[in-house]
Amino acid sequence: MYHLSQLYIYPIKSMRGLQLSHAQVTKHGLAFDRLFMLTDFQGNFITARNITNLVCFTPALHSDGLVLQAPDGQYKTILLSQFSQHTFPTEVWGNNFVSFVAPTEINQWLSNYLQQDIQLRWLGEDSHRRVKNYPDIPLSFADGYPYMLINEASLQLLESRCQNTLSVYQFRPNIVVSGFSAFAEDSWKTIRIGNVIFDVIKPCSRCILTTVNPITGKKHPTREPLSILEQFRTNAEKPEDVDFGINLIARNNGIIRCGDRVELIEQQQPNIYINRLGSEKPLSSVNSYKKVTICYQNKMITGNNQQVILEQLEKHGIHVNYACRAGICGHCALKLIKGTARSLKKGNIIQDGNLLTCSCVPLENIELS
Ligand code: FES
């Protein structure tokens, strides 16, 4: 009754995944999961949080690498043997390690599609990256943990609260389980799937990526399902985290199959979540288009009053820290020195002269510090 119902890998981070009937469990994740990733030329990671139509690219496995199909149907074969001989510095969420760079022809092809300078990176045979606080656990290009599990009942409950149907791809799980009640996973500490034991490390905190339609590559206009999750899955002790699904590490290697029994070995106290269902409504955007200037770090760019400040700065190569890109975590806050801005998300997100650049648009010329 309690069983593994779906398995997924994502060979290239942020691109379309592959559904499998069975998969090899390794310490760093399911075999072939997130072995490739896009970066800028400095090695900083790029995901569908900032280039949403990455989700429309389809990788398929090849005997010596990958075949990658672009949204228009054109494709390239990418051979491991053609990656750089030497490693280059690479960064994911402030975690620095090294990886190999794809040949120029592939990077140029991707850069043309994505209209910015892109490199495809390969992790190599052995990952030099480690899971935070777990120095013995290697990690792929995944955000922070080797495995992410979703409970089907939790997804169904979330979907029942949304206006639109949801796809499991919006949450990019590796493992989907069935037969449990909704959010039963909140209290799991250790589980066994087939012959593999997994430890639950933490709930998975969610970001703007969940709002990207996996077919069109467009964000949902009112940020569903994240806006709904915020109403009942905001962590009471860490309100910067909106949780859905759980992150795991594997104690042993093995093969897991759809249909395998899922057993609960040990439980723990679940987190407490703030419940504000029905209290938050999306704001509409009504301003007609106008050009504005945005000053930051002694640079002045010409932008507009429609797009969030973070995206406008990034478009001009100006880096601002971020995490959720959804007005939740606070990482993207800058001080508003001059001018006014408008929040796209209801709530007190412009405070003490600070604004969240991922969720605010300028109303006029602004200066930030
Ligand atoms: S990036 Fe999280 S609030 Fe802006």
Side-chain angles (χ1 to χ4, degrees):
M1 166 185 183
Y2 304 123
H3 68 279
L4 170 57
S5 55
Q6 299 168 55
L7 276 170
Y8 296 93
I9 56 170
Y10 308 85
I12 304 183
K13 187 179 176 73
S14 280
M15 292 191 182
R16 194 158 283 169
L18 274 75
Q19 187 170 5
L20 306 175
S21 61
H22 55 281
Q24 186 193 356
V25 173
T26 72
K27 290 267 181 197
H28 62 71
L30 292 178
F32 300 107
D33 188 45
R34 284 134 170 145
L35 293 185
F36 302 86
M37 170 181 84
L38 301 187
T39 70
D40 62 20
F41 275 33
Q42 287 72 49
N44 301 306
F45 76 126
I46 289 174
T47 71
R49 290 173 185 85
N50 30 17
I51 306 183
T52 55
N53 70 341
L54 289 187
V55 299
C56 305
F57 285 76
T58 309
L61 301 182
H62 176 279
S63 55
D64 177 34
L66 291 172
V67 176
L68 180 58
Q69 188 178 51
D72 64 2
Q74 303 290 315
Y75 65 90
K76 289 274 181 200
T77 302
I78 305 168
L79 302 179
L80 297 183
S81 51
Q82 294 175 334
F83 275 73
S84 60
Q85 298 293 310
H86 304 290
T87 56
F88 290 84
T90 310
E91 181 265 347
V92 176
W93 293 122
N95 189 206
N96 295 293
F97 52 103
V98 294
S99 63
F100 299 87
V101 177
T104 306
E105 181 213 340
I106 299 295
N107 295 333
Q108 193 59 56
W109 183 71
L110 283 164
S111 300
N112 287 344
Y113 274 106
L114 302 171
Q115 297 185 339
Q116 67 183 79
D117 290 340
I118 296 282
Q119 287 183 338
L120 178 69
R121 300 289 184 111
W122 171 44
L123 198 61
E125 304 288 352
D126 298 308
S127 173
H128 299 270
R129 210 179 157 211
R130 292 291 179 270
V131 176
K132 191 174 169 192
N133 301 328
Y134 292 83
D136 297 333
I137 310 277
L139 187 60
S140 65
F141 288 131
D143 277 347
Y145 298 94
Y147 293 92
M148 208 279 285
L149 177 149
I150 292 241
N151 172 4
E152 242 174 49
S154 307
L155 182 60
Q156 283 162 4
L157 188 141
L158 172 62
E159 188 171 37
S160 72
R161 292 175 175 174
C162 293
Q163 300 287 328
N164 298 90
T165 54
L166 297 177
S167 159
V168 75
Y169 275 118
Q170 287 170 251
F171 302 90
R172 305 183 73 78
N174 300 110
I175 296 169
V176 181
V177 297
S178 292
F180 298 93
S181 56
F183 298 106
E185 68 277 21
D186 284 353
S187 60
W188 296 352
K189 187 158 190 253
T190 305
I191 57 171
R192 187 199 315 266
I193 303 178
N195 293 320
V196 180
I197 294 180
F198 293 92
D199 290 307
V200 178
I201 302 304
K202 61 181 271 302
C204 183
S205 57
R206 292 304 181 162
C207 69
I208 199 72
L209 192 47
T210 54
T211 73
V212 176
N213 181 310
I215 306 296
T216 63
K218 302 263 186 278
K219 286 182 197 154
H220 188 277
T222 61
R223 300 166 61 254
E224 280 193 5
L226 191 59
S227 55
I228 306 297
L229 283 172
E230 281 168 7
Q231 293 175 20
F232 74 106
R233 296 292 298 174
T234 297
N235 189 318
E237 284 188 6
K238 283 179 78 188
E240 66 276 22
D241 286 354
V242 174
D243 297 336
F244 190 75
I246 49 177
N247 293 124
L248 315 170
I249 55 174
R251 279 197 206 169
N252 57 292
N253 293 352
I255 290 183
I256 53 175
R257 299 170 183 79
C258 291
D260 276 354
R261 192 165 161 221
V262 179
E263 281 172 78
L264 180 56
I265 294 180
E266 198 179 346
Q267 287 188 285
Q268 62 187 343
Q269 198 63 30
N271 286 331
I272 295 170
Y273 291 99
I274 297 167
N275 190 342
R276 45 180 177 238
L277 278 169
S279 66
E280 191 169 340
K281 299 216 169 10
L283 301 181
S284 56
S285 70
V286 286
N287 295 326
S288 54
Y289 183 94
K290 86 171 177 191
K291 281 188 181 174
V292 301
T293 58
I294 304 173
C295 290
Y296 177 56
Q297 290 181 335
N298 299 322
K299 290 185 190 140
M300 183 190 287
I301 65 165
T302 302
N304 60 65
N305 65 341
Q306 304 287 309
Q307 197 175 11
V308 293
I309 296 164
L310 176 64
E311 289 176 1
Q312 300 200 50
L313 291 171
E314 285 177 339
K315 218 160 77 181
H316 287 81
I318 301 172
H319 177 75
V320 177
N321 287 337
Y322 68 82
C324 69
R325 299 179 81 98
I328 302 167
C329 71
H331 281 61
C332 64
L334 293 179
K335 194 171 262 309
L336 182 64
I337 309 281
K338 260 194 211 154
T340 52
R342 171 173 173 273
S343 165
L344 294 181
K345 186 183 159 218
K346 192 175 178 193
N348 188 18
I349 68 167
I350 302 179
Q351 313 174 334
D352 307 332
N354 287 309
L355 57 75
L356 300 181
T357 56
C358 71
S359 307
C360 290
V361 294
L363 286 175
E364 56 184 339
N365 297 341
I366 58 169
E367 189 178 333
L368 303 162
S369 73

PDB file of all heavy atoms in Angstrom, residues 310 321-332 356-359, ligand 1:
ATOM      1  N   LEU A 310      15.323  43.090  -9.577  1.00  0.00           N
ATOM      2  CA  LEU A 310      16.387  42.076  -9.637  1.00  0.00           C
ATOM      3  C   LEU A 310      16.658  41.663 -11.087  1.00  0.00           C
ATOM      4  O   LEU A 310      17.810  41.636 -11.538  1.00  0.00           O
ATOM      5  CB  LEU A 310      15.982  40.852  -8.808  1.00  0.00           C
ATOM      6  CG  LEU A 310      16.932  39.666  -8.830  1.00  0.00           C
ATOM      7  CD1 LEU A 310      18.272  40.024  -8.218  1.00  0.00           C
ATOM      8  CD2 LEU A 310      16.336  38.472  -8.083  1.00  0.00           C
ATOM      9  N   ASN A 321      22.513  39.274  -4.667  1.00  0.00           N
ATOM     10  CA  ASN A 321      22.251  37.969  -4.033  1.00  0.00           C
ATOM     11  C   ASN A 321      20.772  37.652  -4.084  1.00  0.00           C
ATOM     12  O   ASN A 321      19.929  38.543  -3.951  1.00  0.00           O
ATOM     13  CB  ASN A 321      22.687  37.982  -2.566  1.00  0.00           C
ATOM     14  CG  ASN A 321      24.185  37.957  -2.459  1.00  0.00           C
ATOM     15  OD1 ASN A 321      24.875  37.515  -3.386  1.00  0.00           O
ATOM     16  ND2 ASN A 321      24.700  38.446  -1.356  1.00  0.00           N
ATOM     17  N   TYR A 322      20.456  36.383  -4.233  1.00  0.00           N
ATOM     18  CA  TYR A 322      19.059  35.969  -4.179  1.00  0.00           C
ATOM     19  C   TYR A 322      19.003  34.509  -3.746  1.00  0.00           C
ATOM     20  O   TYR A 322      20.011  33.816  -3.738  1.00  0.00           O
ATOM     21  CB  TYR A 322      18.373  36.136  -5.548  1.00  0.00           C
ATOM     22  CG  TYR A 322      18.889  35.193  -6.605  1.00  0.00           C
ATOM     23  CD1 TYR A 322      18.428  33.878  -6.677  1.00  0.00           C
ATOM     24  CD2 TYR A 322      19.850  35.596  -7.509  1.00  0.00           C
ATOM     25  CE1 TYR A 322      18.915  33.010  -7.637  1.00  0.00           C
ATOM     26  CE2 TYR A 322      20.340  34.732  -8.468  1.00  0.00           C
ATOM     27  CZ  TYR A 322      19.867  33.431  -8.531  1.00  0.00           C
ATOM     28  OH  TYR A 322      20.343  32.570  -9.469  1.00  0.00           O
ATOM     29  N   ALA A 323      17.789  34.056  -3.403  1.00  0.00           N
ATOM     30  CA  ALA A 323      17.566  32.618  -3.176  1.00  0.00           C
ATOM     31  C   ALA A 323      16.210  32.246  -3.758  1.00  0.00           C
ATOM     32  O   ALA A 323      16.130  31.640  -4.805  1.00  0.00           O
ATOM     33  CB  ALA A 323      17.667  32.260  -1.711  1.00  0.00           C
ATOM     34  N   CYS A 324      15.120  32.661  -3.109  1.00  0.00           N
ATOM     35  CA  CYS A 324      13.799  32.189  -3.550  1.00  0.00           C
ATOM     36  C   CYS A 324      13.278  32.908  -4.793  1.00  0.00           C
ATOM     37  O   CYS A 324      12.477  32.371  -5.528  1.00  0.00           O
ATOM     38  CB  CYS A 324      12.794  32.360  -2.418  1.00  0.00           C
ATOM     39  SG  CYS A 324      12.407  34.089  -2.050  1.00  0.00           S
ATOM     40  N   ARG A 325      13.684  34.143  -5.017  1.00  0.00           N
ATOM     41  CA  ARG A 325      13.164  35.013  -6.091  1.00  0.00           C
ATOM     42  C   ARG A 325      11.643  35.141  -6.009  1.00  0.00           C
ATOM     43  O   ARG A 325      10.967  35.277  -7.024  1.00  0.00           O
ATOM     44  CB  ARG A 325      13.597  34.513  -7.475  1.00  0.00           C
ATOM     45  CG  ARG A 325      15.091  34.493  -7.662  1.00  0.00           C
ATOM     46  CD  ARG A 325      15.475  33.975  -9.027  1.00  0.00           C
ATOM     47  NE  ARG A 325      15.367  34.990 -10.050  1.00  0.00           N
ATOM     48  CZ  ARG A 325      16.377  35.714 -10.520  1.00  0.00           C
ATOM     49  NH1 ARG A 325      17.587  35.540 -10.043  1.00  0.00           N
ATOM     50  NH2 ARG A 325      16.174  36.601 -11.461  1.00  0.00           N
ATOM     51  N   ALA A 326      11.100  35.078  -4.819  1.00  0.00           N
ATOM     52  CA  ALA A 326       9.643  35.083  -4.659  1.00  0.00           C
ATOM     53  C   ALA A 326       9.188  35.912  -3.465  1.00  0.00           C
ATOM     54  O   ALA A 326       8.093  35.729  -2.973  1.00  0.00           O
ATOM     55  CB  ALA A 326       9.152  33.651  -4.502  1.00  0.00           C
ATOM     56  N   GLY A 327      10.046  36.797  -2.958  1.00  0.00           N
ATOM     57  CA  GLY A 327       9.628  37.660  -1.853  1.00  0.00           C
ATOM     58  C   GLY A 327       9.480  36.942  -0.530  1.00  0.00           C
ATOM     59  O   GLY A 327       8.702  37.365   0.318  1.00  0.00           O
ATOM     60  N   ILE A 328      10.222  35.856  -0.337  1.00  0.00           N
ATOM     61  CA  ILE A 328      10.074  35.084   0.904  1.00  0.00           C
ATOM     62  C   ILE A 328      11.328  35.171   1.782  1.00  0.00           C
ATOM     63  O   ILE A 328      11.255  35.464   2.971  1.00  0.00           O
ATOM     64  CB  ILE A 328       9.791  33.599   0.594  1.00  0.00           C
ATOM     65  CG1 ILE A 328       8.527  33.444  -0.255  1.00  0.00           C
ATOM     66  CG2 ILE A 328       9.646  32.795   1.891  1.00  0.00           C
ATOM     67  CD1 ILE A 328       8.358  32.066  -0.862  1.00  0.00           C
ATOM     68  N   CYS A 329      12.491  34.933   1.187  1.00  0.00           N
ATOM     69  CA  CYS A 329      13.694  34.688   2.003  1.00  0.00           C
ATOM     70  C   CYS A 329      14.422  35.964   2.453  1.00  0.00           C
ATOM     71  O   CYS A 329      15.157  35.944   3.434  1.00  0.00           O
ATOM     72  CB  CYS A 329      14.672  33.810   1.223  1.00  0.00           C
ATOM     73  SG  CYS A 329      15.451  34.660  -0.161  1.00  0.00           S
ATOM     74  N   GLY A 330      14.262  37.067   1.745  1.00  0.00           N
ATOM     75  CA  GLY A 330      14.905  38.330   2.128  1.00  0.00           C
ATOM     76  C   GLY A 330      16.327  38.508   1.605  1.00  0.00           C
ATOM     77  O   GLY A 330      16.941  39.555   1.828  1.00  0.00           O
ATOM     78  N   HIS A 331      16.893  37.521   0.891  1.00  0.00           N
ATOM     79  CA  HIS A 331      18.284  37.618   0.433  1.00  0.00           C
ATOM     80  C   HIS A 331      18.531  38.771  -0.537  1.00  0.00           C
ATOM     81  O   HIS A 331      19.652  39.248  -0.663  1.00  0.00           O
ATOM     82  CB  HIS A 331      18.702  36.325  -0.275  1.00  0.00           C
ATOM     83  CG  HIS A 331      19.048  35.219   0.652  1.00  0.00           C
ATOM     84  ND1 HIS A 331      18.154  34.700   1.544  1.00  0.00           N
ATOM     85  CD2 HIS A 331      20.189  34.523   0.827  1.00  0.00           C
ATOM     86  CE1 HIS A 331      18.733  33.739   2.224  1.00  0.00           C
ATOM     87  NE2 HIS A 331      19.966  33.613   1.821  1.00  0.00           N
ATOM     88  N   CYS A 332      17.508  39.194  -1.256  1.00  0.00           N
ATOM     89  CA  CYS A 332      17.722  40.155  -2.340  1.00  0.00           C
ATOM     90  C   CYS A 332      17.474  41.598  -1.905  1.00  0.00           C
ATOM     91  O   CYS A 332      17.382  42.485  -2.744  1.00  0.00           O
ATOM     92  CB  CYS A 332      16.799  39.823  -3.513  1.00  0.00           C
ATOM     93  SG  CYS A 332      15.077  40.009  -3.044  1.00  0.00           S
ATOM     94  N   LEU A 356      12.606  44.321  -1.383  1.00  0.00           N
ATOM     95  CA  LEU A 356      13.012  43.023  -1.935  1.00  0.00           C
ATOM     96  C   LEU A 356      13.027  43.160  -3.453  1.00  0.00           C
ATOM     97  O   LEU A 356      11.977  43.316  -4.081  1.00  0.00           O
ATOM     98  CB  LEU A 356      12.051  41.928  -1.484  1.00  0.00           C
ATOM     99  CG  LEU A 356      11.961  41.737   0.028  1.00  0.00           C
ATOM    100  CD1 LEU A 356      11.002  40.616   0.369  1.00  0.00           C
ATOM    101  CD2 LEU A 356      13.340  41.460   0.617  1.00  0.00           C
ATOM    102  N   THR A 357      14.224  43.124  -4.020  1.00  0.00           N
ATOM    103  CA  THR A 357      14.347  43.427  -5.452  1.00  0.00           C
ATOM    104  C   THR A 357      13.686  42.378  -6.336  1.00  0.00           C
ATOM    105  O   THR A 357      13.357  42.659  -7.475  1.00  0.00           O
ATOM    106  CB  THR A 357      15.827  43.573  -5.842  1.00  0.00           C
ATOM    107  OG1 THR A 357      16.518  42.380  -5.468  1.00  0.00           O
ATOM    108  CG2 THR A 357      16.472  44.767  -5.172  1.00  0.00           C
ATOM    109  N   CYS A 358      13.474  41.162  -5.808  1.00  0.00           N
ATOM    110  CA  CYS A 358      12.850  40.116  -6.633  1.00  0.00           C
ATOM    111  C   CYS A 358      11.351  40.312  -6.746  1.00  0.00           C
ATOM    112  O   CYS A 358      10.710  39.640  -7.557  1.00  0.00           O
ATOM    113  CB  CYS A 358      13.141  38.731  -6.067  1.00  0.00           C
ATOM    114  SG  CYS A 358      12.273  38.394  -4.522  1.00  0.00           S
ATOM    115  N   SER A 359      10.787  41.184  -5.925  1.00  0.00           N
ATOM    116  CA  SER A 359       9.326  41.298  -5.861  1.00  0.00           C
ATOM    117  C   SER A 359       8.832  42.731  -5.988  1.00  0.00           C
ATOM    118  O   SER A 359       7.673  42.994  -5.709  1.00  0.00           O
ATOM    119  CB  SER A 359       8.824  40.732  -4.534  1.00  0.00           C
ATOM    120  OG  SER A 359       9.309  39.451  -4.356  1.00  0.00           O
TER     121      SER A 359
HETATM  122  S1  FES B   1      15.301  36.372  -3.387  1.00  0.00           S
HETATM  123 FE1  FES B   1      14.141  35.708  -1.674  1.00  0.00          FE
HETATM  124  S2  FES B   1      13.070  37.541  -1.118  1.00  0.00           S
HETATM  125 FE2  FES B   1      14.026  38.048  -2.951  1.00  0.00          FE
END
